[in-house]
């Protein structure tokens, strides 16, 4: 066994990577020329930590997966492993020869043939002519590209090119193989062959580091995994445990987004571009008052909804100023210090630096999918002040002040945890239909047209209208992400715009996100005498879901007396209420739905009397 195999393949100790962020190109040029290091030239950039305090070890011959959302820092970590970039702090030790598949095709020339690209790549890796010829025979057998190896790379499909790159990278039997999203690009047949090839590499002592958004690849190929979020390692453990924790986090986030999307459609007042993403924002404006030298350190901010954590921000931690995240520090026009870290804790400070300044200000922000007026929100702050400084907090919902200049308790030299319950917003967004009732007929028509682009509403006769639509889970609460086999109910509230006798027929259609209709649910006639403004509630019980994994949309409609499109239709909202199904078993996950069925052995003997059961899977 070689020394490289005896040592850990990779060791990261307190590794961090920092980049400077400049307000304009002129400051970039001054930094490149070194002018900002002159004593008379003030530094004009902020430090952005893409990664910080990264600690992990990869044993020789083991396989480690890395999971996390886009922007979590996975690719930066891989570049540190390969030596493409150097850490700003800490120690990154790598023992052995590395082969990295980070940018498919980046080092292959499109005009060269497959064989020419193989020779160029392996020559660069230092192989002898005899070793290269042996590798070409191995690559040809593995890729099964045949005569295409003599054709220019530009004639290859994406899958063919990926086969060639993977085979070339693994032909030299590296000590450490790094794969970034390569396995998910191939078909099932190639995936099996790749897995066998990696198993042979590991058996020979190679270590494998895999980054993938395909959780099945991580569980299948990796012994352990780490979950990264905002430049930090959140969890490390067995690949199955880490994937389960990460997917639970993703499903909770998706459930919040879809529930908020459905609520936006009901309440109105949101631009169409905000329907699918974040729609509201809390601004937290800190103001420090005191004498010169007074300092307030802010270490952590948390947002709670109804007593449960909604978002948190590790102030001074990696990516804390990244406005693409749901919580961040605003560095524009404020007095925040550079990020600081001590004994594993990070913070930024507000400091009154000059005589007569008197005040130092800084802003933080939390993004919400939607601000729910019937929910209770609370902000928690972990902070420390010095020299009897007074720290105040003003909270705004977009441009509306909720809490104004609330004084935080003096903390002395100790870190203090403090909570503030946010005041209820005064400008409550009402349901679209209530707004319509308050407007004149011309304004009502304008409001309906304004909402049509979001709700995809097709009004009919208009004597009855759909007031609210809710997707409910097992406990009767609104839900948007459902595990396969769990119950789902659709609740529709119908309101009469005019008094009268009705024969109400509720209907719903279920679509896949790509527009394929799954099924329709048309109710019978429900006779009812309704006064103007009176409501009736209809419930559609789908029982336990037999849908495959994916995103689905409901259309809902109300008819009166019959199902004639022109004469009887009262109101229709087309494909506007979305939910997701997850966690089907592998052979059922890709199906549209599963139909109940039963297998029987027709020519059974005396001992073969038991019938087998299974599900017939439809697509």
């Amino acid at each position: 066994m070689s020394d490289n195999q005896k040592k850990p393949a990779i060791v990261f100790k307190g590794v961090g990577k920092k980049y400077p962020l400049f307000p304009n190109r002129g400051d970039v040029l001054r930094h490149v020329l070194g002018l900002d290091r002159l004593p008379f030239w003030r530094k004009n950039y902020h430090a952005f930590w893409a990664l910080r305090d990264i600690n992990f070890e990869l044993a020789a011959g083991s396989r480690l997966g890395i999971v996390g959302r886009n922007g979590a820092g996975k690719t930066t970590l891989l570049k540190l492993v390969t030596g493409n970039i150097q850490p700003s702090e800490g120690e990154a030790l790598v023992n052995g020869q590395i082969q990295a598949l980070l940018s498919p095709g980046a080092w292959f020339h499109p005009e060269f043939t497959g064989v020419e690209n193989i020779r160029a790549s392996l020559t660069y890796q230092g192989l002898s002519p005899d070793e290269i010829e042996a590798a070409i025979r191995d690559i040809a057998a593995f890729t099964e590209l045949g005569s295409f190896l003599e054709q220019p790379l530009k004639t290859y499909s994406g899958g063919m090119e990926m086969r060639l790159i993977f085979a070339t990278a693994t032909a030299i039997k590296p000590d450490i193989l790094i794969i970034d999203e390569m396995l998910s690009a191939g078909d099932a047949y190639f995936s099996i062959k790749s897995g066998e090839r990696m198993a042979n590499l590991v058996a020979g002592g190679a270590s494998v580091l895999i980054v993938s958004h395909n959780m099945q690849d991580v569980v299948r190929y990796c012994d352990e995994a780490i979950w990264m979020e905002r430049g930090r390692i959140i969890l490390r453990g067995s690949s199955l445990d880490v994937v389960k924790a990460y997917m639970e986090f993703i499903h909770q986030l998706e459930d919040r987004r879809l529930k908020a999307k459905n609520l936006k459609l009901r309440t109105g007042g949101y631009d169409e571009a905000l329907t699918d993403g974040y729609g509201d924002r809390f601004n937290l404006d800190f103001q420090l008052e005191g004498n010169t030298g007074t300092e307030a350190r802010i270490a952590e901010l948390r947002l709670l909804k109804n007593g449960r954590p909604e978002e948190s921000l590790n102030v001074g931690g990696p990516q804390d100023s990244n406005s693409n995240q749901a919580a961040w520090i605003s560095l524009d026009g404020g007095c925040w210090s550079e990020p600081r870290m001590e004994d594993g804790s990070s913070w930024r400070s507000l400091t009154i630096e000059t005589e007569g300044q008197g005040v130092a200000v800084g802003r933080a922000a939390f993004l919400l999918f939607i601000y729910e007026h019937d929910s209770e929100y609370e902000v928690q702050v972990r902070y420390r002040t010095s020299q009897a400084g007074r720290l105040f907090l003003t909270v705004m919902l977009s441009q509306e002040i909720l809490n104004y200049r609330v004084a935080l308790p003096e903390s002395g030299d100790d870190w203090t945890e403090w909570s503030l319950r946010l005041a209820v917003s005064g400008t409550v967004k009402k349901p679209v239909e209530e707004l319509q009732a308050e407007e004149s007929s011309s304004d009502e028509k304008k409001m309906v047209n304004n909402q049509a682009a979001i709700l995809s509403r097709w009004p009919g006769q208009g004597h009855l209208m759909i007031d609210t639509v809710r997707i409910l889970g097992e406990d009767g609460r609104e839900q948007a992400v459902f595990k396969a086999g769990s119950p789902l109910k659709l609740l529709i509230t119908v309101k009469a715009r005019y008094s009268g006798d009705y024969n109400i027929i509720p209907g719903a259609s279920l679509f896949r996100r790509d527009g394929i209709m799954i099924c329709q649910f048309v109710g019978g006639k429900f006779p009812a005498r309704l006064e103007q403004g009176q409501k009736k509630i209809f419930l559609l019980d789908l029982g336990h879901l037999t849908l495959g994994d994916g995103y689905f949309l409901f259309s809902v409609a109300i008819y009166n007396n019959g199902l004639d499109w022109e004469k009887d239709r009262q109101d229709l909202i087309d494909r506007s209420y979305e939910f997701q199904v997850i966690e089907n078993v592998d052979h059922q996950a890709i199906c549209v739905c599963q139909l109940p069925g039963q297998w029987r052995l027709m020519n059974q003997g005396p001992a073969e009397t038991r019938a087998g059961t299974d599900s017939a899977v439809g697509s």
Side-chain angles (χ1 to χ4, degrees):
M1 183 176 290
S2 69
D3 290 338
N4 285 339
Q5 289 173 315
K6 293 178 182 178
K7 297 177 182 178
I10 301 171
V11 179
F12 272 40
K13 298 179 180 179
V15 170
K17 181 59 183 177
K18 178 177 64 173
Y19 296 98
L21 296 182
F22 299 92
N24 56 62
R25 292 183 178 180
D27 290 309
V28 175
L29 179 61
R30 284 191 288 270
H31 179 74
V32 170
L33 297 176
L35 298 179
D36 56 1
R37 290 191 291 271
L38 298 175
F40 57 83
W41 211 310
R42 185 174 180 269
K43 176 177 73 69
N44 192 28
Y45 62 84
H46 295 290
F48 177 82
W49 288 89
L51 297 174
R52 203 163 197 192
D53 197 30
I54 300 296
N55 298 277
F56 78 94
E57 183 175 300
L58 176 63
S62 61
R63 295 166 295 180
L64 179 67
I66 304 176
V67 301
R69 294 189 291 171
N70 291 334
K74 306 185 297 297
T75 300
T76 301
L77 187 148
L78 294 187
K79 289 180 179 179
L80 288 167
V81 172
T82 59
N84 290 349
I85 59 176
Q86 296 300 313
S88 304
E89 65 180 13
E91 189 176 23
L93 301 176
V94 179
N95 299 304
Q97 182 186 23
I98 295 177
Q99 185 63 276
L101 284 71
L102 301 182
S103 301
W107 57 93
F108 278 21
H109 198 287
E111 299 294 339
F112 291 177
T113 67
V115 171
E116 290 170 340
N117 274 298
I118 294 171
R119 284 202 174 96
S121 177
L122 297 184
T123 300
Y124 178 77
Q125 297 293 334
L127 272 67
S128 68
D130 290 342
E131 290 173 327
I132 291 175
E133 292 305 315
I136 290 175
R137 291 192 294 272
D138 171 70
I139 292 169
F142 178 80
T143 60
E144 302 178 15
L145 290 175
S147 60
F148 269 97
L149 285 174
E150 301 297 337
Q151 301 300 316
L153 190 71
K154 66 182 181 181
T155 66
Y156 287 24
S157 68
M160 293 164 63
E161 182 179 349
M162 194 268 290
R163 286 190 181 200
L164 183 66
I165 295 168
F166 180 85
T168 304
T170 55
I172 63 172
K173 296 178 175 56
D175 298 307
I176 303 170
L177 176 63
I178 298 176
I179 302 173
D180 187 2
E181 293 294 350
M182 286 288 289
L183 294 174
S184 59
D187 55 28
Y189 173 69
F190 176 71
S191 180
I192 293 172
K193 293 188 69 173
S194 300
E196 292 173 352
R197 196 172 182 91
M198 285 201 301
N200 292 334
L201 286 171
V202 173
S207 307
V208 180
L209 196 61
I210 298 176
V211 169
S212 180
H213 288 290
N214 188 329
M215 297 300 105
Q216 289 183 344
D217 281 350
V218 174
V219 173
R220 177 182 178 187
Y221 296 121
C222 301
D223 309 308
E224 289 189 303
I226 59 177
W227 167 17
M228 296 189 66
E229 179 72 16
R230 294 193 73 154
R232 297 184 299 147
I233 294 177
I234 301 297
L235 180 66
R236 175 168 184 172
S238 72
S239 57
L240 180 60
D241 289 342
V242 172
V243 164
K244 287 170 61 178
Y246 173 65
M247 292 309 297
E248 183 68 21
F249 166 75
I250 293 299
H251 292 152
Q252 289 176 358
L253 190 65
E254 186 68 349
D255 186 65
R256 285 167 47 196
R257 184 187 71 83
L258 291 178
K259 285 195 295 187
K261 177 180 178 179
N262 293 335
L263 182 56
K264 290 172 188 175
L265 295 176
R266 293 202 303 270
T267 58
Y270 288 89
D271 186 90
E272 185 175 2
L274 302 178
T275 305
D276 246 337
Y278 294 110
D280 290 308
R281 168 174 164 175
F282 283 131
N283 289 325
L284 279 61
D285 289 336
F286 291 93
Q287 186 175 32
L288 176 67
E289 297 180 357
N291 299 321
T292 303
T294 299
E295 180 189 52
R297 296 180 178 180
I298 313 294
E300 187 175 10
L301 302 173
R302 290 187 294 271
L303 177 67
L304 279 65
K305 186 177 79 172
N306 298 327
R308 301 181 63 179
E310 186 84 352
E311 296 290 348
S312 64
L313 176 61
N314 183 27
V315 181
Q319 302 190 28
D320 70 338
S321 60
N322 185 356
S323 59
N324 292 322
Q325 301 285 350
W328 78 94
I329 291 292
S330 174
L331 300 179
D332 296 332
C335 303
W336 292 112
S337 70
E338 292 297 300
R340 300 176 184 175
M341 179 172 287
E342 184 178 297
D343 298 329
S345 296
S346 62
W347 73 87
R348 289 182 187 260
S349 62
L350 298 173
T351 305
I352 300 177
E353 297 178 344
T354 59
E355 189 70 34
Q357 177 184 354
V359 174
V361 297
R363 168 172 285 189
F366 284 104
L367 288 180
L368 309 173
F369 288 116
I370 188 171
Y371 176 76
E372 300 179 18
H373 295 83
D374 56 352
S375 296
E376 291 185 353
Y377 291 89
E378 183 179 349
V379 169
Q380 295 182 344
V381 184
R382 184 168 177 261
Y383 69 101
R384 186 169 71 186
T385 56
S386 65
Q387 297 188 14
R390 297 300 309 277
L391 185 63
F392 299 90
L393 175 61
T394 297
V395 181
M396 295 188 294
L397 174 62
S398 298
Q399 299 302 315
E400 176 190 355
I401 295 177
L402 301 182
N403 301 79
Y404 180 67
R405 276 183 58 86
V406 180
L408 281 68
E410 296 183 9
S411 67
D413 294 329
D414 298 324
W415 288 104
T416 299
E417 299 273 355
W418 176 76
S419 299
L420 173 66
R421 180 170 294 180
L422 303 187
V424 177
S425 170
T427 56
V428 177
K429 293 173 181 173
K430 299 181 181 181
V432 176
E433 293 79 10
E434 292 185 24
L435 290 171
Q436 293 171 353
E438 294 172 358
E439 302 292 339
S440 63
S441 58
S442 59
D443 290 337
E444 177 180 348
K445 183 176 180 180
K446 179 180 178 181
M447 175 65 73
V448 171
N449 292 336
N450 185 47
Q451 293 301 320
I454 300 176
L455 276 175
S456 297
R457 191 167 214 147
W458 300 2
Q461 295 298 318
H463 291 77
L464 299 171
M465 68 184 307
I466 298 168
D467 187 63
T468 59
V469 178
R470 290 183 171 86
I471 301 173
L472 309 178
E474 185 173 12
D475 59 0
R477 297 181 180 180
E478 277 199 84
Q479 189 171 325
V481 177
F482 293 82
K483 293 183 179 180
S486 61
L488 181 149
K489 296 180 175 65
L490 183 68
L491 190 75
I492 303 175
T493 303
V494 177
K495 184 170 69 172
R497 299 184 67 194
Y498 303 98
S499 300
D501 293 313
Y502 298 97
N503 288 305
I504 305 173
I505 303 175
S509 299
L510 180 63
F511 292 84
R512 209 164 61 177
R513 187 187 262 180
D514 60 5
I516 294 177
M517 179 183 287
I518 309 300
C519 55
Q520 290 183 314
F521 309 91
V522 179
K525 292 182 181 180
F526 293 87
R529 170 68 187 181
L530 295 178
E531 302 300 327
Q532 183 180 7
Q534 190 175 354
K535 299 178 182 180
K536 289 290 183 181
I537 298 175
F538 296 90
L539 182 69
L540 172 64
D541 189 344
L542 270 65
H544 294 272
L545 287 174
T546 60
L547 296 170
D549 286 0
Y551 290 86
F552 300 88
L553 296 153
F554 275 117
S555 292
V556 292
I558 292 295
Y559 291 81
N560 184 40
N561 291 321
L563 296 175
D564 185 278
W565 180 258
E566 296 296 335
K567 182 179 67 175
D568 301 321
R569 178 171 54 90
Q570 301 294 308
D571 197 5
L572 183 148
I573 301 177
D574 181 44
R575 285 171 285 191
S576 297
Y577 302 98
E578 189 171 8
F579 66 97
Q580 183 187 17
V581 177
I582 61 173
E583 296 190 10
N584 272 281
V585 296
D586 289 346
H587 70 282
Q588 296 170 336
I590 62 174
C591 303
V592 175
C593 63
Q594 304 156 33
L595 303 177
Q598 188 177 70
W599 286 102
R600 286 184 174 86
L601 180 61
M602 301 305 295
N603 59 337
Q604 69 260 37
E608 300 169 328
T609 58
R610 184 177 179 183
T613 59
D614 204 341
S615 293
V617 178
S619 63

XYZ file of all heavy atoms in Angstrom, residues 472-477 479 482 485-489 544:
108
model
N -55.991 20.585 1.063
C -55.838 20.203 2.463
C -55.169 18.841 2.595
O -55.361 17.943 1.763
C -57.192 20.159 3.159
C -58.091 21.392 3.016
C -59.413 21.167 3.727
C -57.390 22.637 3.550
N -54.422 18.689 3.689
C -53.794 17.421 4.007
C -54.601 16.628 5.019
O -55.775 16.913 5.291
N -53.948 15.645 5.609
C -54.635 14.699 6.495
C -55.234 15.383 7.716
O -56.301 15.007 8.204
C -53.656 13.606 6.932
C -54.278 12.497 7.745
C -53.308 11.365 7.992
O -52.098 11.548 7.731
O -53.747 10.290 8.431
N -54.549 16.410 8.245
C -55.018 17.081 9.451
C -55.989 18.211 9.158
O -56.377 18.950 10.068
C -53.834 17.609 10.265
C -52.972 18.585 9.466
O -53.305 18.845 8.289
O -51.971 19.075 10.014
N -56.407 18.369 7.912
C -57.348 19.416 7.560
C -56.723 20.774 7.356
O -57.433 21.752 7.116
N -55.399 20.849 7.423
C -54.710 22.115 7.203
C -54.227 22.211 5.761
O -54.046 21.203 5.086
C -53.517 22.243 8.152
C -53.906 22.282 9.623
C -52.683 22.445 10.493
N -53.021 22.498 11.906
C -52.120 22.641 12.887
N -50.839 22.732 12.578
N -52.509 22.675 14.138
N -51.949 22.360 2.683
C -50.711 21.635 2.424
C -50.434 21.699 0.932
O -51.359 21.798 0.115
C -50.850 20.182 2.892
C -49.573 19.370 2.881
C -49.761 18.022 3.559
O -50.509 17.896 4.540
N -49.089 17.008 3.050
N -47.140 16.565 -0.758
C -47.769 15.358 -0.227
C -46.887 14.150 -0.498
O -46.367 13.986 -1.615
C -49.133 15.121 -0.892
C -50.157 16.160 -0.554
C -50.188 17.381 -1.222
C -51.104 15.931 0.424
C -51.134 18.347 -0.925
C -52.058 16.889 0.732
C -52.070 18.095 0.066
N -49.376 8.253 -1.355
C -50.246 7.452 -0.510
C -50.920 8.207 0.608
O -51.755 7.651 1.324
N -50.587 9.501 0.780
C -51.230 10.283 1.832
C -52.533 10.881 1.311
O -52.725 11.031 0.109
C -50.292 11.390 2.316
O -49.967 12.268 1.260
N -53.476 11.219 2.210
C -54.770 11.746 1.759
C -54.685 13.198 1.309
O -53.866 13.975 1.801
C -55.647 11.616 3.007
C -54.701 11.627 4.155
C -53.441 10.987 3.666
N -55.555 13.557 0.354
C -55.651 14.929 -0.145
C -57.119 15.271 -0.346
O -57.894 14.459 -0.861
C -54.888 15.084 -1.460
C -54.863 16.483 -2.105
C -53.556 16.693 -2.864
C -56.037 16.728 -3.035
N -57.485 16.478 0.076
C -58.843 16.989 -0.111
C -58.765 18.363 -0.767
O -57.843 19.141 -0.510
C -59.586 17.082 1.226
C -59.829 15.747 1.915
C -60.566 15.946 3.229
C -60.921 14.614 3.885
N -59.721 13.864 4.296
N -56.424 8.380 -0.674
C -54.962 8.264 -0.621
C -54.399 8.359 -2.030
O -54.803 7.624 -2.935
C -54.557 6.943 0.042
C -54.950 6.879 1.485
N -54.151 7.354 2.503
C -56.077 6.426 2.075
C -54.761 7.180 3.668
N -55.926 6.614 3.431
